[in-house]
Amino acid sequence: PKAASSNLAGDANGSAKIEAPLQRIVDAIRLWNVMGVSAPCHAQVGFMADYSHKSGTWSTYLSRLRSQGLIEGKGDLKLTESGQAVARAPETEPNGAALRSAVLNRIDGPLRKILAPILEAYPDGMSHQSAGEASGYSHSSGTWSTYLSRLRSLALIDGRGELKAQDWLFP
């Protein structure tokens, strides 16, 4: 069996330790806190922790964090005092531009090509036709619909008629 300590993460001083997957989540909440979002939503935290916020694994991890007294909240997520003690601060000072860059780097090429012009249009939205032309895709294809569905599932865009970047991408 795998040694328990190999799956634990702790701070630089080696104090409080929690499992590495849970550490990623509390660190993601801390990242949002540093950017001024006191209680980020599941999509925000899941994306930055590199987890699907709609998966059973996500629910399990959140349940474990709650039972360990590290987070609170069902909708938006907030670190408790104990959670703040184990959460690590981001290595570099985060900002909105860095966040959007990180998001673009975490999604595959076709999604990136579609999301980039939608991000540039923010706070305005874009028509399907304009977004399709800007990204090089036909806005009337089944592939287009599939890509938009994936962007919506990741909580990166809103809208059916007009496509708009989610507000959380612009803290």
Side-chain angles (χ1 to χ4, degrees), residues 81-161:
E81 197 171 304
S82 298
Q84 291 172 16
V86 297
R88 298 176 295 208
E91 292 179 18
T92 58
E93 186 68 30
N95 60 46
L99 167 65
R100 291 183 291 282
S101 178
V103 166
L104 289 170
N105 287 329
R106 287 186 177 182
I107 58 178
D108 62 27
L111 299 184
R112 191 175 319 127
K113 286 172 66 175
I114 295 168
L115 183 58
I118 295 171
L119 289 172
E120 289 175 25
Y122 187 88
D124 297 323
M126 294 183 84
S127 69
H128 284 255
Q129 183 175 351
S130 296
E133 289 170 3
S135 62
Y137 290 102
S138 167
H139 71 282
S140 59
S141 70
T143 302
W144 175 258
S145 297
T146 299
Y147 289 154
L148 292 184
S149 176
R150 288 177 56 201
L151 288 169
R152 284 187 193 98
S153 292
L154 292 169
L156 298 175
I157 65 168
D158 273 328
R160 299 281 175 196

Side-chain angles (χ1 to χ4, degrees), residues 1 8 14 20 36 45 60 69 72 76 89 91 97 102 117 119-120 126 145 163:
L8 297 177
V45 176
T60 299
E72 57 190 21
D76 295 338
E91 292 179 18
L119 289 172
E120 289 175 25
M126 294 183 84
S145 297
L163 305 173

